[in-house]
Each structure stands twice: as structure tokens, then as C-alpha cells.
Amino acid sequence: MSHYRAPIEDMSFLIEELLDVGGTLGALPAFAELGLGPELTSALLDEGAKFAGGVLAPLRRTGDQQPATCADGAITLTPGYGDALQQLGAGGWMGISSDPEYGGQGLPELYATAACEMWNSANLAFGLAPMLSSGAALAIHAHGTEEQKQLYLPKMHAGEWAGTMNLTESGAGSDLGVMKTRAIPEGDHYRIHGQKIYITWGDHDATDNIIHLVLAKLPDAPEGSRGISLFLVPKFLVNADGSLGERNDVYPVSTEHKLGIHGSPTCVMAFGDGDGAIGYLVGEENRGLACMFTMMNEARLKVGVQGLGAAEGAYQKAVTYARERVQGGVAIIGHPDVRRMLLTMKSLIEAMRAFVYTEAVTMDLAHRGPEDDRAGQQFRIDLMIPVIKGWLTEVGQELTSLGVQVHGGMGYIEETGAAQYLRDVRITSIYEGTNGIQAADLVSRKLGRDQGGAMRDALAQVADTVAELKQHEAGDLQQIGAALEHALADTEEATGQVLEALAADPAVALGASFDYLMQCGYLFGGWHLARSALLASARMAAGADNDFYPRKIATARFYAEQILPRCTAHAGAIATAAGALNSYPADWL
């Protein structure tokens, strides 16, 4: 059975060469004292790789075979998970990109994204724990009082306390407006009564405390989603000096029996079955969704990274097997169809990684860049988040399925571990807003709010790269440029069609929205690989003697030839969205 090894070479290339972290972010006041550059990047990636490969990866199969369980209101974690979470906290990884004023490391989101990829490639079920904790801390930092931030964030950033997000209720699904959880005012706090389902890492004893962020309604709240407030509900009450007090009235009822991510304790949580769980308002009353979206936006980027991470883990296992499995007298890696599958995996993984790392820099610039540039960067990251979440998770499912296919019949046998990647990643297109919701958000809100202005700016950047590619005499770059130009034209036309439909008949636009999301993903993924190929060509022209660069160009060419034509297929579906899709009667289904 192969073990995970972080793809440090490609990660370093993106961070240091394509994105130039020192030049892009290093001069910003928030990062000026950190010494961003190759030495820091190398140290962080090396340490992260050791932890991911040496501690988390060996626990992946253990978590799958020995799931977290619930009995008598307490969770028993998979053996080794609690110790690993404590090691993660002790290593400073929990607050890697958080505010130093509250105990964080203060590093760019770009580094946090790279770390997130490693955790999720090695062990997706485990990787959910730091993802949820960092998201909860981010929401408290953005919307909590100064007292709340001082009391809770240092412990959360140190990994001594964990965090969760509690939204969903039975029968409500994504419709949060019908939730039944109630918050009753009582002096300086509230009593929370209700039950939440699908709560990731909802309870455990790996940390001293768990800080639950809970959506609930006040007695006089307006109807629907406008009446939702956000509350901080600790597992153990916290005294003014930061010490722990008595156990709060919040307990796990059960763990969900899931297709995958078995090592993650996904809980049904009961708040206030006794006297009521004590909670504290975060932000303003009836503004809970706005507060929670601070957490969810970051979480959606990280869920996209989960799609990337699972795909990378599946690829490593598949390529190792393909080198070892002999059929017809040769290792199957020499078979054309196996090579097709592995190159599909490799090229899409590198496109996904370049895409999400690039937009992690956008997030850094939106939060910590020059003041007069932040609004524009925020518009861009808002536009890209649904594409990242949706496209990376959809592609992650395709690639983990290909990983099973490379193994042949052995991939269908659980003992090989190949199928676990497919089972684990399957949830990513569902949680944090299904990919249908992401597509609707992309078209209705993000594209429609400025009549496609931010999208046109992004497409103009692709056009600039096409122009640069066409200036080169090298055959590979010319071919990449021609394919990218064709995909760009398809996407520009589709963007106009979607905007027209949005104005004339929103149902048609929504019908086209998933294809549009996927088309954008393939285009931007190809764009980033084209940028990488241009840079690799320049390095080679300057005399670099490293086979990484010709491999980068060859991978980009494969993507251009074999993957970018998918943009045209999605364009055809978008152009006909007003046809049978829109007119087919629901009662015929």
C-alpha cells in the first residue's frame, strides 16, 4: 500500500515562481516582518509534508475501518486521531493564517491553503477538524466582541480548543429559514434549545473545549432567514480568567452512518435538553446568516481544496499501482488507456492546485492588501469561490473514480484503499452548499450583481495570456494558446447568453448555471496551466536544467488538447438551456 508524499515541487513552483509570494504579498504591512520567500516556503512545506505523510496518512485507513462512535453522550474517536489533533495544534498549524494579536501565526492564506491540501490528501476525515476550527475562529474574529475574541481565539488558534459550525436541522436541509432552534434571552446570555444534524467533529475529547457556533431564532424574530441569529455555545463554560467552568447543556446524541469520512465524528447535537445551553450572541440579533457566511466563504474555498486533496491522494496510489501491476508482460502504466487516465488525473490536479492557490492570494489581497484595492479583490474572490467549491469537488469525484479504474477490479476491493478516496470525497459536492447552490450563486448573485463586470475582467486576463502564448514560436505554447483561445471564445459567448437569460427568464439561466460553473472551472484551470507553461518555457530559455519545466509544459499541452474541449461541450448545453431542460414537465420525471 502506497503512502502519501506531499507534491512539494509543484507546490513550491506555484508559491515561489508563478505567484511570487515574496513580491506579491511580502511588501504588504501585514506580512512585511515575516520574511516571505523560498526559505520560509521550504520550511513550512517540509514540516507539513512530514506531518501529513508520517502521522496523518497512516491513520486514513484506520479511520475508515474504526469509525468514531457515540455512547452515553460522549464520542470515542478513532485511535490516533486525538493525538494527531494535539500534534497539529502544538505545531502551530491551527492558527497559521490567523491574527497574531489573538495568538495566530499571521501568515498568508496561501500557506494555509497549501497546508489544508496536505492534510486532506493524507486524511480527509481528519482534515475537517482544523478546517472547521479555523472557520469558527474566523467568524468570531470578524463579528465577535473584543471580549469574545480575547477569551476564545488564543486557545482556538493554539489548538487547545476546537470549533464547529451548527446550521442544519432535520427536515430543513439548506433552507435555514425554517429552523426550529430557539434562543431565549437571559441576562447577558441566552438559553439555546434545539437539535442540529450533520455537525462535523461535533464532539470529542481531543481538545479541552469545543466552541460551537450555532444558528438559532429569538422569540420575536422575523420569519424566514431574516430572523436568524448566531450564538457562541462552548462545550464547557469559560470563566472570565479563561479557565474552564461547568459542562454546558450540549451533547452528542449519535454519530451519522456515512458513505465515507468515517473517522470524522459527524454528530447529531442536542442543545438544551435540560435547562438550556448557555450561549452568547455573536454580531447583531437577526444578522446570523451574514456572520456565518464569513465562515462559510472561507470554508467553501477549503472544501474545494478537499476535492484537490482527495484527487492527489488517489493519483499517487493509482500511479504507484500502475507502475507495479504487470499485464501482458509490461507494467500497465505503459498501456495507452491507463496513461490517458493518469494524465487526466495529473493535469487536472495541477490545474486545480494552480487555480485555488492563485485565488488564495486574491483572498489575502482582499483582506490585507492596499485599502483602495480591497473592494475589487473581494469582488473577484466572491466570483471565484463558487467555481472553486463546485468545480474542484466535481473534478475530485471524477479523478478519485479514475483512481479506482486504474486499479481495475482491485480498485473495487476495499482492502486496496483506492475506493476510500472516492467514498470520502463524495460529500464535498454536497456540504457547504450543494454544487447546484454554488452554480445558482455564481449566476444569480455573483455574475448578475455587476452585469458580468468582474467576470469580464477575469476573462480579459485569460485573453492577455492567449496573446502572450501566440507570440511564441515554440510548438507546444502555440498549441496551448490556440486551445485556450477557443475555450475563451466559448466562455465569453456563454457569459453573454447567461446574462441575457438572467434578465429575460431566470429559470433558463439557472438551468444553465451548472454547465456555466463547470465551463469556467475548466477555462480558468487551463489558463493557470498556460501561465505555468509560459513561465517554465522562460526558465528553460534561461538555462534551467530541471526536468520539472518540460514536464510542466507537456502537462499543460495535454490539458489543452484533452481537457479544454470540455468547455465547448458545456457551451452547447448552455446554448440550449431554454429547450427541453426548461420545458420538460416535472410530473414526467
Side-chain angles (χ1 to χ4, degrees), residues 3 10 35 55 88 176 228 247 269 370 372 395 414 417 466 504 527 544 551 582:
H3 295 286
D10 194 45
V55 177
L88 191 76
L176 299 176
I228 297 173
R247 175 68 187 262
M269 298 295 297
D372 59 356
V395 172
E414 286 289 358
V466 168
W527 172 47
R551 282 190 280 124
N582 193 49

Side-chain angles (χ1 to χ4, degrees), residues 21-353:
V21 65
T24 305
L25 301 176
L28 298 177
F31 305 126
E33 304 299 321
L34 298 177
L36 301 184
E39 185 175 345
L40 177 60
T41 298
S42 178
L44 282 168
L45 293 182
D46 286 347
E47 287 304 310
K50 290 176 185 176
F51 181 72
V55 177
L56 299 186
L59 293 173
R60 186 180 74 91
R61 294 294 290 150
T62 305
D64 195 49
Q65 296 167 339
Q66 300 180 53
T69 58
C70 180
D72 301 321
I75 295 295
T76 299
L77 286 174
T78 296
Y81 271 48
D83 181 61
L85 191 59
Q86 291 168 11
Q87 289 184 56
L88 191 76
W93 294 103
M94 296 294 284
I96 181 172
S97 61
S98 303
D99 191 341
E101 184 177 352
Y102 303 102
Q105 300 291 321
L107 290 168
E109 176 62 34
L110 176 59
Y111 286 118
T113 299
C116 181
E117 181 194 341
M118 290 189 279
W119 312 155
N120 284 283
S121 286
N123 191 331
L124 198 152
F126 177 90
L128 283 160
M131 187 182 89
L132 268 295
S133 283
S134 65
L138 182 66
I140 294 170
H141 183 273
H143 303 287
T145 64
E146 183 61 28
E147 181 182 7
Q148 289 171 340
K149 289 186 278 191
Q150 294 286 354
L151 194 59
Y152 296 100
L153 291 183
K155 295 285 190 181
M156 296 178 75
H157 293 156
E160 297 177 35
W161 297 353
T164 72
M165 175 168 55
N166 294 253
L167 288 75
T168 308
E169 298 181 7
S170 179
S174 299
D175 185 5
L176 299 176
V178 299
M179 70 172 52
K180 297 179 181 178
T181 301
R182 292 291 180 265
I184 311 301
E186 184 180 272
D188 65 349
H189 59 264
Y190 298 76
R191 292 280 180 176
I192 312 296
H193 297 268
Q195 190 174 94
K196 300 288 185 177
I197 62 173
Y198 307 150
I199 307 308
T200 303
W201 280 79
D203 189 72
H204 53 83
D205 61 1
T207 56
D208 295 333
N209 204 1
I210 301 174
I211 310 305
H212 301 287
L213 291 185
V214 184
L215 291 181
K217 288 191 170 185
L218 297 167
D220 58 351
E223 292 295 322
S225 60
R226 295 182 301 107
I228 297 173
S229 300
L230 179 63
F231 299 91
L232 186 158
V233 184
K235 177 178 179 178
F236 291 95
L237 299 178
V238 182
N239 299 316
D241 63 358
S243 62
L244 297 183
E246 64 184 42
R247 175 68 187 262
N248 205 356
D249 189 9
V250 50
Y251 292 90
V253 175
S254 63
T255 53
E256 310 283 6
H257 300 112
K258 301 167 298 203
L259 176 68
I261 56 168
H262 294 157
S264 170
T266 308
C267 300
V268 175
M269 298 295 297
F271 294 86
D273 276 359
D275 295 331
I278 293 177
Y280 305 91
L281 183 69
V282 178
E284 301 176 19
E285 291 185 352
N286 303 322
R287 295 281 298 163
L289 274 187
C291 297
M292 189 63 89
F293 268 109
T294 299
M295 178 181 186
M296 290 178 68
N297 219 28
E298 196 253 3
R300 285 171 174 173
L301 182 138
K302 294 296 174 58
V303 171
V305 176
Q306 289 186 313
L308 162 63
E312 174 67 36
Y315 170 72
Q316 291 191 19
K317 177 171 281 293
V319 77
T320 299
Y321 182 82
R323 290 188 177 119
E324 297 171 348
R325 174 75 166 98
V326 175
Q327 188 169 308
V330 297
I332 63 172
I333 200 167
H335 294 186
D337 191 57
V338 173
R339 187 163 61 248
R340 173 192 64 81
M341 289 188 285
L342 292 174
L343 268 171
T344 297
M345 296 177 79
K346 178 180 174 61
S347 66
L348 276 162
I349 286 166
E350 292 187 13
M352 294 158 76
R353 181 177 296 121

Side-chain angles (χ1 to χ4, degrees), residues 107 339 364 377 389 505 572:
L107 290 168
R339 187 163 61 248
D364 282 319
Q377 298 292 347
K389 194 278 183 185
D505 188 348

